[in-house]
Amino acid sequence: MSKIQSIRGMHDLLPADSGAWQQVEAVLAKTLSRYGYQEIRTPIVEQTELFKRSIGEVTDIVEKEMYTFNDRNGDQLTLRPEGTASCARAGIQHGLFHNQQQKLWYQGPMFRHERPQKGRYRQFSQLGVEAYGIPGADVEAELLLICQRLWQAFKIDSHVRLELNSLGTPDCRAAYRSALVEYFGAHKDALDDESKRRLESNPLRILDSKNPEMQTLAANAPVLHDYLCDEAKEHFTQLLAYLDKLDIAYTVNQRLVRGLDYYCHTVFEWVTTELGAQGTICAGGRYDGLIKQLGGKEIAGVGFAMGMERFIELVGQYSPKMLGQPVADAYMITIGAEAELEGLQLADRMRSEESALAVISNLGSGSFKSQLKRADKSAARYAIILAENELEQGLIGLKDLRTAGSEQQLVAYEQLIGVLNNSK
Ligand code: ATP
Ligand code: MG
């Protein structure tokens, strides 16, 4: 019978790698809580309409990447392709935005039907960080500070850099839009089919095209910066002043627009040249109109999403030590039926909150030699050896598995936990 395989572009996280993810996730959660952000968990499936209305009909995601299906009731549902829409929906639904600020984060799988390649998958994980009800540049500076802290925590700060731009207010964007329609309209013959379609519906998106010919054409297009109103300019200048004060290095990239419809004012990307074509680790910006667009009140929103796979890949490449697997303190070898029972009990006492040791019990018996082999393979630091005759004298064997040539020594039963904790 043919073997069933996982779906293309959707990967298993195997035990050899899950420790790295757990470590990264723990640091992310701790860091975000230090900045006063709280976790939100939303369903993986939402009504298709939610994404159409928030991300925008004329975007790569909604036009070609969503996993959409009818459920048994005939409702049209979609596996979430990103997290902001769900976050906003949940906030409106539960009244989280009523006269208060909200600082939220989420992490979990997103789904997009893209062409799978390195750094681009059909199921991938994002960390999202979002702040609602705070319209100023101060919160943008804080979000970028969070990113910088994460890069520093994982020692990859010299491998990423920040690019940012201002998309202005909806009003100044409208003026820019007309200028773009005029420019691209004059080069209509050179546009690819997708861009031709977008010329009327969403000309800004042409700037975001991945087609190199469109990128060349876009290079000579009018720049948004020349159309920014005073309010937008002031907002952006304020942000840059914060970044200078906070020692966050940046490049203003006037070509940076961002694929989604809901952005205004600041947009940014943290990029690296180290991951080839898929070099954007983290991307975000301000989306003040989104909540209203989804039926809520007019309320400010800003945030970013980080691609976990790309981030972990980069950390693995430049500071693999940060992803080292947690190693068990000891592997418990037992010789004889009585020792086996005693071993199960002792190992469990060692794992208590007080003793706080990680102990792997030998399961499935085996000769001393085969148990020692398993101990070695387990990567535990020590082997604990319980043999009946020594146990009767209150003694336990201890062997350092990670120092070449070290001999087994005998330790008093009561001292074992202390000895192991002291050697940590
Ligand atoms: P790209 O231009 O690479 O397609 P995007 O603009 O579609 O990116 P966002 O929607 O802003 O990406 O998502 C934020 C981050 O999530 C990206 O910067 C990237 O790190 C990650 N990401 C997006 N799509 C994928 C994917 N298919 N596989 C893995 N990571 C992804
Ligand atoms: Mg994309």
Side-chain angles (χ1 to χ4, degrees):
M1 216 193 280
S2 68
K3 287 189 200 127
I4 297 175
Q5 303 275 332
S6 67
I7 294 164
R8 204 162 106 80
M10 303 196 181
H11 299 286
D12 299 304
L13 181 62
L14 298 176
D17 301 317
S18 59
W21 277 71
Q22 285 172 346
Q23 249 167 296
V24 170
E25 284 164 0
V27 173
L28 298 179
K30 192 174 67 190
T31 305
L32 289 162
S33 96
R34 286 186 183 156
Y35 284 88
Y37 284 74
Q38 291 178 301
E39 186 181 7
I40 182 166
R41 299 186 189 187
T42 61
I44 281 170
V45 186
E46 299 269 2
Q47 290 188 40
T48 304
E49 187 59 23
L50 173 67
F51 301 114
K52 283 194 179 163
R53 251 209 264 169
S54 57
I55 298 170
E57 300 259 10
V58 193
T59 54
D60 279 353
I61 293 182
V62 173
E63 282 183 341
K64 25 182 203 206
E65 297 174 356
M66 292 206 300
Y67 278 91
T68 296
F69 60 97
N70 290 324
D71 77 355
R72 287 173 192 275
N73 299 332
D75 294 331
Q76 200 180 59
L77 307 180
T78 294
L79 298 185
R80 64 178 186 194
E82 54 104 54
T84 299
S86 310
C87 219
R89 194 263 313 134
I92 297 168
Q93 185 174 335
H94 302 288
L96 301 188
F97 304 140
H98 281 316
N99 303 322
Q100 58 185 323
Q101 300 179 344
Q102 282 292 344
K103 300 203 289 184
L104 309 171
W105 69 271
Y106 56 83
Q107 191 238 308
M110 307 295 160
F111 303 84
R112 297 184 194 176
H113 196 277
E114 303 198 67
R115 195 169 67 78
Q117 52 198 291
K118 185 165 180 269
R120 193 175 289 288
Y121 312 104
R122 290 181 173 174
Q123 176 176 336
F124 60 99
S125 186
Q126 279 183 342
L127 165 78
V129 182
E130 325 214 321
Y132 291 93
I134 315 170
D138 53 353
V139 65
E140 295 166 16
E142 190 184 77
L143 285 167
L144 292 166
L145 209 50
I146 293 176
C147 295
Q148 174 146 297
R149 182 172 290 282
L150 292 175
W151 315 146
Q152 285 167 348
F154 287 95
K155 303 195 186 355
I156 55 160
D157 43 313
S158 57
H159 300 285
V160 288
R161 71 190 157 76
L162 172 63
E163 293 195 352
L164 73 177
N165 194 20
S166 171
L167 298 185
T169 63
D171 284 347
C172 46
R173 244 204 359 241
Y176 178 58
R177 190 182 185 284
S178 314
L180 274 186
V181 172
E182 198 175 312
Y183 171 80
F184 286 119
H187 295 84
K188 212 168 179 175
D189 293 342
L191 294 178
D192 62 15
D193 288 348
E194 184 177 77
S195 300
K196 271 191 192 119
R197 255 188 310 118
R198 290 181 173 182
L199 182 58
E200 297 307 325
S201 54
N202 201 341
L204 249 81
R205 202 74 338 112
I206 304 176
L207 300 176
D208 209 21
S209 168
K210 293 199 169 77
N211 178 348
E213 283 170 30
M214 293 306 102
Q215 285 172 358
T216 314
L217 197 58
N220 295 316
V223 271
L224 206 154
H225 196 78
D226 298 337
Y227 294 81
L228 291 186
C229 61
D230 288 346
E231 183 200 336
K233 275 188 192 147
E234 204 174 302
H235 185 107
F236 198 51
T237 310
Q238 176 75 64
L239 173 62
L240 299 187
Y242 281 126
L243 297 185
D244 290 335
K245 265 260 180 289
L246 294 167
D247 270 336
I248 300 178
Y250 57 82
T251 321
V252 175
N253 174 357
Q254 300 198 348
R255 303 280 162 199
L256 184 68
V257 286
R258 298 284 312 127
L260 313 185
D261 261 3
Y262 50 52
Y263 287 104
C264 64
H265 283 296
T266 312
V267 287
F268 61 85
E269 289 190 353
W270 289 91
V271 294
T272 170
T273 48
E274 331 280 350
L275 296 178
Q278 271 52 259
T280 307
I281 299 292
C282 175
R286 179 166 282 287
Y287 34 86
D288 291 345
L290 177 66
I291 300 296
K292 194 161 178 211
Q293 204 171 304
L294 289 175
K297 281 200 203 139
E298 182 99 44
I299 182 172
V302 58
F304 66 79
M306 178 178 92
M308 292 287 287
E309 286 80 1
R310 292 184 196 177
F311 175 61
I312 289 176
E313 173 81 25
L314 196 65
V315 178
Q317 209 164 315
Y318 289 99
S319 51
K321 275 201 191 121
M322 299 307 301
L323 302 180
Q325 292 276 5
V327 169
D329 297 298
Y331 187 101
M332 178 82 75
I333 292 174
T334 60
I335 301 158
E338 232 168 84
E340 197 177 301
L341 261 179
E342 178 66 38
L344 282 176
Q345 286 174 315
L346 174 60
D348 222 41
R349 274 205 300 286
M350 295 172 80
R351 299 180 189 117
S352 70
E353 278 303 313
E354 267 179 308
S355 311
L357 290 162
V359 186
I360 303 170
S361 290
N362 181 77
L363 302 173
S365 340
S367 67
F368 175 66
K369 211 174 139 197
S370 70
Q371 292 191 52
L372 200 58
K373 252 194 200 155
R374 282 184 208 147
D376 203 39
K377 216 174 154 198
S378 78
R381 291 216 174 88
Y382 289 93
I384 297 168
I385 300 134
L386 291 195
E388 266 146 42
N389 50 348
E390 283 154 7
L391 263 183
E392 274 166 26
Q393 303 167 51
L395 294 172
I396 287 179
L398 188 64
K399 183 173 158 61
D400 183 342
L401 295 168
R402 306 299 149 202
T403 311
S406 68
E407 295 290 319
Q408 178 180 329
Q409 50 177 131
L410 288 172
V411 185
Y413 190 102
E414 305 79 48
Q415 282 168 9
L416 178 72
I417 291 175
V419 169
L420 284 174
N421 268 320
N422 285 338
S423 72
K424 264 195 189 181

